Amino acid sequence: MLHQEATTEPAPAGTGRDGVELQLCDIWRKLLGRTDVGIHDDFFALGGHSLLAIRLTVEVRRLFQVDLTAADLLAAATVAELAEIIRRGSSGASGQLVRIQAGSGGSPLYALPPVSGTVLLYPPVARAMGTDQPFWAVQSVGLLPGETPLESIEEISETFIEQLRTVHPEGAEWNLIGYSMGGLLAYETARRLKERGERVGLVGLLDTRIVVEAGADPDFALRALLWRGLKLEVDIEWLRGLTPEERAAELVDRAVAAGTMPADFDADRLRRMIDMYQFNLDALAAYRIKPYDGTVTVFRVTDRSLEDGTLPEDLGWSEVAARAVVCDVPGDHFTMVEPGQVEVLGRRIKEQLALGSAPAVPLA
């Protein structure tokens, strides 16, 4: 454990008040390709994303012997905040609940995880909504060492409700969003809360379909990780023939060689990431959706070139929800949460949150 004390003197951009902050600023400059890093700058606001976050955790472990989680990075996204965790030697946090943005008032917005189980895609969404919006997220059980992934959407939803109740203001309405699979989790969570007499506000489904088709690609989880995360082109048939341990080790070697993974990233962590994809996909495939006596808002991408052209405008949600509102947002299924598109998505979510249960208005 480190015992360096920070001074209260202001620090110019790119510097720090002690050795920990100085080293963190240096790490950020290298990872983000910037020279203007200040100790109070937000990692994600400067261009940080999930892959860079992984590299950051590896560098912190190498330099300070402190293991950071996704929750640490989201709750302490500045050099100054992260330095405090490092000086203590750990965050002391536990569980899957992550506060992304404290906000200044109003009902919180809760974001539920996509198939990857991580919630690192949500900080840009929160920022685009404005710093006044309280914003929490919940990551999947199974990403951390020793955790056993949950096996059904129903069980996952119940676990999330238990965690969210610990921070939910008494009497406040529940506002939930979810990207892709996270939308189904938001829907099931809202349905269960409403059945119990709770007040449910926004149920925001970020380009989420109502079902996973039986004939879907059985290797979708692996393909998604390769394409979106590691950016590798590998023979899936060959990978399928390897044991989970061999597969993780092979992918780490290739990703390190390709420069998309830091050199000392361990295969065990990657294996948990792959397993998380598969556990969540299995839970989706087994899920039998039930009716919801309320309104859902479908944030529908305008670039549908990745679709087969047969999907209904509301992605099928009017079949199960009492009312489905469609709100168009720019980008395709993947780029809608990336810089250049996410700014509009955040504004649209904030507008729909303000409207509550009122009908959606046409949005330019």
Side-chain angles (χ1 to χ4, degrees):
M1 183 179 296
L2 301 176
H3 298 283
Q4 299 183 52
E5 296 294 332
T7 70
T8 56
E9 295 296 321
T15 66
R17 298 168 296 184
D18 67 359
V20 176
E21 290 182 356
L22 284 168
Q23 290 182 84
L24 285 176
C25 283
D26 186 53
I27 293 170
W28 284 28
R29 284 196 296 271
K30 293 175 181 176
L31 291 179
L32 299 169
R34 302 178 66 108
T35 59
D36 56 343
V37 174
I39 64 168
H40 300 300
D41 290 333
D42 185 284
F43 179 77
F44 296 97
L46 292 180
H49 50 73
S50 57
L51 181 58
L52 288 179
I54 290 172
R55 294 180 178 178
L56 176 58
T57 64
V58 170
E59 285 297 300
V60 167
R61 181 170 54 185
R62 181 177 65 83
L63 288 174
F64 304 108
Q65 294 76 55
V66 173
D67 286 315
L68 298 176
T69 66
D72 293 331
L73 293 179
L74 294 174
T78 70
V79 165
E81 292 168 334
L82 200 55
E84 285 299 315
I85 292 177
I86 291 170
R87 293 184 193 103
R88 292 196 302 268
S90 70
S91 67
S94 61
Q96 284 65 48
L97 192 60
V98 180
R99 187 175 76 175
I100 291 179
Q101 194 164 270
S104 57
S107 295
L109 182 65
Y110 304 119
L112 305 187
V115 69
S116 67
T118 67
V119 292
L120 291 171
L121 67 94
Y122 287 120
V125 179
R127 286 199 308 275
M129 294 185 68
T131 57
D132 59 328
Q133 174 60 51
F135 198 113
W136 293 80
V138 193
Q139 67 180 11
S140 292
V141 179
L143 286 172
L144 300 179
E147 290 183 346
T148 301
L150 304 177
E151 296 184 354
S152 73
I153 296 296
E154 293 83 359
E155 186 181 11
I156 295 170
S157 177
E158 282 298 325
T159 300
F160 287 172
I161 290 174
E162 290 176 11
Q163 296 235 351
L164 291 171
R165 283 197 190 282
T166 65
V167 298
H168 187 67
E170 186 175 355
E173 69 178 7
W174 292 82
N175 297 300
L176 304 151
I177 65 168
Y179 168 69
S180 196
M181 169 187 164
L184 278 163
L185 289 171
Y187 175 89
E188 179 63 23
T189 300
R191 193 189 66 77
R192 287 171 176 265
L193 288 168
K194 196 170 180 65
E195 278 187 345
R196 296 166 192 178
E198 303 269 4
R199 291 197 304 124
V200 178
L202 177 68
V203 182
L205 315 176
L206 279 54
D207 209 47
T208 299
R209 305 182 191 185
I210 64 170
V211 293
V212 174
E213 299 173 1
D217 180 0
D219 295 310
F220 174 81
L222 197 52
R223 293 183 195 277
L225 180 62
L226 291 172
W227 181 27
R228 298 293 298 171
L230 304 180
K231 304 188 185 306
L232 296 176
E233 293 186 11
V234 183
D235 185 336
I236 295 292
E237 291 290 337
W238 174 73
L239 278 178
R240 192 187 291 121
L242 303 179
T243 67
E245 293 75 18
E246 291 171 339
R247 184 184 306 145
E250 181 68 31
L251 290 179
V252 165
D253 287 345
R254 293 188 180 220
V256 168
T260 57
M261 192 70 77
D264 49 357
F265 189 83
D266 58 277
D268 182 63
R269 192 186 307 187
L270 182 60
R271 181 187 57 77
R272 289 198 304 273
M273 291 170 61
I274 297 172
D275 289 348
M276 192 78 262
Y277 269 87
Q278 196 57 59
F279 268 102
N280 280 335
L281 280 176
D282 291 344
L284 278 175
Y287 179 52
R288 298 296 176 262
I289 197 165
K290 296 179 180 178
Y292 172 60
D293 183 23
T295 298
V296 299
T297 301
V298 182
F299 293 89
R300 187 78 159 91
V301 294
T302 55
D303 180 354
R304 302 173 187 176
S305 58
L306 299 178
E307 301 175 7
D308 60 13
T310 62
L311 296 175
E313 185 68 14
D314 65 0
L315 294 176
W317 287 100
S318 57
E319 298 175 16
V320 293
R323 182 165 171 266
V325 171
V326 177
C327 180
D328 286 343
V329 293
D332 61 31
H333 181 74
F334 296 111
T335 62
M336 68 183 295
V337 292
E338 295 180 352
Q341 318 288 12
V342 72
E343 296 82 2
V344 178
L345 173 64
R347 292 199 300 269
R348 296 292 189 262
I349 294 173
K350 186 171 185 178
E351 290 164 354
Q352 294 301 312
L353 188 61
L355 287 172
S357 59
V361 296
L363 298 171

